[in-house]
Amino acid sequence: MTDAPYGDDPEPAEPSPAGRLCVPVRPGTRGRVAARLFRTPVGDRTAVAFTDPARLTALLGAGQPWIRLAEPALRTLVEPLGVRVLTIDPTFTAPASASPRTAVPGPPAAVGARQPLPRSLTALAG
């Protein structure tokens, strides 16, 4: 009988992509860059990486700057920020909201009454 490839571990380790990943970045201070973080559908922060530049460009556009990093290096980079999730080759993103304005719901209006225009929350202060 041969030894298990993962020692005494009953299940194999989580598979990880081989080689370096394409990691989207944003401008940082003093000419440096920082890894760009995203949100999962449930709102958790995640680091995102792609297995090849074409996948990154297809999802984020040709103008998105990126660097090559190995998976362990990316995890080490974002771990102090509390980011524990790494998303490889995401295929879906939600579009940005059309308007940053938020309407404040009020009481139902009487039939035929004139409705005030919705105002942003900042307009209500003061």
Side-chain angles (χ1 to χ4, degrees):
M1 183 180 272
T2 61
D3 291 335
Y6 298 101
D8 293 336
D9 190 1
E11 296 183 32
E14 181 179 316
S16 62
R20 294 185 188 178
L21 299 169
C22 303
V23 178
V25 294
R26 60 178 176 75
T29 58
R30 300 183 192 159
R32 297 180 183 170
V33 295
R36 187 173 166 197
L37 299 177
F38 295 83
R39 297 240 176 228
T40 65
V42 295
D44 296 330
R45 291 193 312 169
T46 181
V48 171
F50 297 85
T51 53
D52 66 74
R55 289 178 187 235
L56 182 142
T57 301
L59 196 62
L60 300 177
Q64 173 63 56
W66 58 275
I67 60 172
R68 288 229 185 241
L69 282 176
E71 180 195 355
L74 179 57
R75 287 187 186 277
T76 300
L77 183 69
V78 299
E79 191 268 332
L81 303 172
V83 177
R84 306 274 187 268
V85 178
L86 177 59
T87 304
I88 307 291
D89 290 329
T91 56
F92 175 79
T93 60
S97 64
S99 172
R101 296 179 65 154
T102 303
V104 178
V111 175
R114 186 174 171 191
Q115 293 274 359
L117 294 174
R119 299 185 301 174
S120 68
L121 293 175
T122 55
L124 296 175

